[in-house]
């Protein structure tokens, strides 16, 4: 029996696709992202030295040119990516933004277990309810072999154990970087694609000079749309070149 991506994702909250991208698909993406990253680093030294481990909104950045921006939109709307988006989102999905994750400036900086939803200002009870219905998903594309992500399978829909809750919220003497019993490491190589829910308990594993591109998709709801910056999305002219794309179709005004 064929195991469906949608079933795996629904059960465990993540799916790893080994050797998903060919080298020739990654070369230009890497060139653009490294160019972006180098300018970002020189313009954001203070934040970088203060511990920032990611940048975002690559498509609306002035660090890349129009042709490079269109290349990224075409990458995001590749047929094999859109197919997975269609399989894991119960209803319509929205492209939200892009992020780039890199090494901390201080190589001894600790990582931290979290659910992205814990930073939205919602109460714990609301968070417990929202993870059951809201979907926000990272498509992680490592450009280098990396230690990967550690996550707690199934917590995209299930709430924490006491140990997990206390760890990510620094309670009862626990620290967010403490090891967790149920942690599962997903090591990644260049060419792999990791799809995982931002709602689940996870932490990045630093090392190996990582540089990893994340595309974020979420439910196409009013709540999520309030986080969308239209400049990160294709304009009418760019849409002419992206006519085949399902994911961007909804931005046509
Ligand atoms: O890679 C990391 O350092 C953390 C990743 C993460 O927290 C996220 O994608 O939400």
């Amino acid at each position: 029996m064929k195991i469906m991506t949608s079933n795996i994702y629904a059960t465990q909250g993540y799916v790893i696709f080994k050797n998903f991208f060919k080298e020739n698909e990654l070369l230009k993406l890497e060139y653009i992202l490294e160019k972006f990253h180098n300018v970002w680093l020189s313009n954001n030294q203070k934040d970088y030295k203060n511990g920032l481990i990611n940048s975002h909104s690559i498509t609306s950045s002035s660090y890349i040119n129009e042709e490079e921006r269109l290349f990224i939109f075409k990458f995001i709307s590749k047929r094999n990516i859109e197919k997975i988006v269609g399989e894991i989102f119960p209803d319509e999905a929205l492209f939200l933004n892009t992020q780039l994750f890199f090494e901390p400036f201080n190589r001894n900086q600790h990582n931290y277990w979290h659910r992205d939803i814990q930073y939205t200002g919602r109460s714990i009870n609301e968070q417990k309810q929202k993870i059951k219905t809201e979907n926000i998903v990272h498509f992680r594309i490592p450009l280098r072999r990396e230690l990967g992500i550690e996550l707690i399978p199934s917590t995209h829909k299930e709430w924490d154990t006491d140990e997990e809750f206390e760890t990510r919220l620094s309670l009862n003497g626990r620290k967010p970087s403490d090891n967790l019993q149920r942690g599962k490491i997903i090591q990644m190589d260049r060419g792999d694609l990791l799809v995982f829910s931002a709602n689940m308990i996870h932490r990045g594993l630093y090392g190996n000079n990582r540089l990893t591109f994340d595309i974020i998709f979420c439910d196409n709801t009013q709540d999520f749309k309030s986080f969308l910056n239209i400049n990160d999305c294709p304009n009418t002219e760019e849409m002419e070149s992206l006519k085949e794309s399902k994911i961007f179709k909804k931005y046509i005004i």
Side-chain angles (χ1 to χ4, degrees):
M1 195 178 76
K2 195 168 165 235
I3 301 174
M4 306 283 290
T5 298
S6 54
N7 293 347
I8 301 173
Y9 180 81
T11 312
Q12 58 187 30
Y14 72 93
V15 190
I16 175 87
F17 298 88
K18 298 300 284 179
N19 300 311
F20 187 81
F21 297 106
K22 296 195 188 71
E23 189 53 29
N24 63 5
E25 294 177 276
L26 294 178
L27 280 175
K28 184 160 179 179
L29 179 72
E30 180 180 32
Y31 167 82
I32 297 170
L33 294 175
E34 281 193 341
K35 171 179 155 178
F36 168 89
H37 185 51
N38 288 334
V39 186
W40 185 93
L41 277 180
S42 55
N43 289 346
N44 293 276
Q45 276 292 300
K46 194 163 163 244
D47 290 336
Y48 177 51
K49 288 186 172 160
N50 279 336
L52 210 62
I53 49 151
N54 75 288
S55 52
H56 60 87
S57 306
I58 291 123
T59 51
S60 61
S61 162
S62 60
Y63 306 166
I64 63 171
N65 64 36
E66 280 177 21
E67 190 263 325
E68 290 164 341
R69 172 176 146 104
L70 186 58
F71 178 89
I72 296 184
F73 288 138
K74 285 188 176 164
F75 189 95
I76 293 169
S77 56
K78 272 177 187 292
R79 200 165 295 167
N80 54 358
I81 294 185
E82 288 205 343
K83 183 168 176 288
I84 298 173
V85 173
E87 280 171 15
I88 63 172
F89 274 86
D91 299 313
E92 203 177 43
L94 185 74
F95 160 74
L96 189 60
N97 207 344
T98 50
Q99 288 180 304
L100 199 56
F101 285 84
F102 42 83
E103 289 298 300
F105 172 76
N106 173 356
R107 298 294 152 121
N108 296 320
Q109 183 168 311
H110 291 297
N111 59 14
Y112 54 99
W113 288 105
H114 64 282
R115 297 177 186 267
D116 287 15
I117 198 170
Q118 76 189 61
Y119 306 116
T120 55
R122 291 174 169 139
S123 71
I124 298 294
N125 271 339
E126 264 180 299
Q127 293 178 35
K128 275 187 191 170
Q129 292 313 313
K130 287 287 182 191
I131 63 165
K132 290 190 187 140
T133 54
E134 273 187 358
N135 302 289
I136 173 152
V137 179
H138 283 243
F139 278 50
R140 173 159 283 216
I141 300 158
L143 295 167
R144 299 175 190 153
R145 182 181 173 78
E146 63 174 75
L147 302 180
I149 284 270
E150 188 170 3
L151 41 77
I152 314 276
S154 305
T155 53
H156 63 314
K157 298 286 178 211
E158 289 167 16
W159 197 243
D160 312 42
T161 61
D162 289 346
E163 181 201 45
E164 290 157 1
F165 188 74
E166 288 174 3
T167 300
R168 66 183 175 87
L169 296 186
S170 305
L171 301 173
N172 290 335
R174 292 198 63 90
K175 293 192 296 301
S177 61
D178 286 348
N179 289 331
L180 290 176
Q181 283 176 33
R182 299 200 293 166
K184 176 162 178 159
I185 294 177
I186 313 293
Q187 188 269 323
M188 276 177 281
D189 292 300
R190 181 178 169 96
D192 296 348
L193 167 70
L194 172 67
V195 174
F196 70 97
S197 166
N199 281 339
M200 73 192 312
I201 305 176
H202 62 281
R203 64 172 172 177
L205 300 176
Y206 312 147
N208 282 4
N209 202 22
R210 70 185 189 148
L211 189 67
T212 193
F213 179 54
D214 281 27
I215 310 167
I216 299 149
F217 298 103
C218 55
D219 295 327
N220 188 9
T221 58
Q222 229 23 69
D223 265 9
F224 277 122
K225 274 191 185 152
S226 61
F227 294 105
L228 186 75
N229 176 354
I230 203 65
N231 297 326
D232 285 313
C233 305
N235 57 33
T236 319
E237 201 182 309
E238 287 163 330
M239 276 312 302
E240 278 300 306
S241 308
L242 298 164
K243 277 196 184 122
E244 302 294 308
S245 158
K246 287 202 205 86
I247 197 83
F248 288 130
K249 216 172 32 202
K250 57 190 78 65
Y251 300 114
I252 302 174
I253 301 157

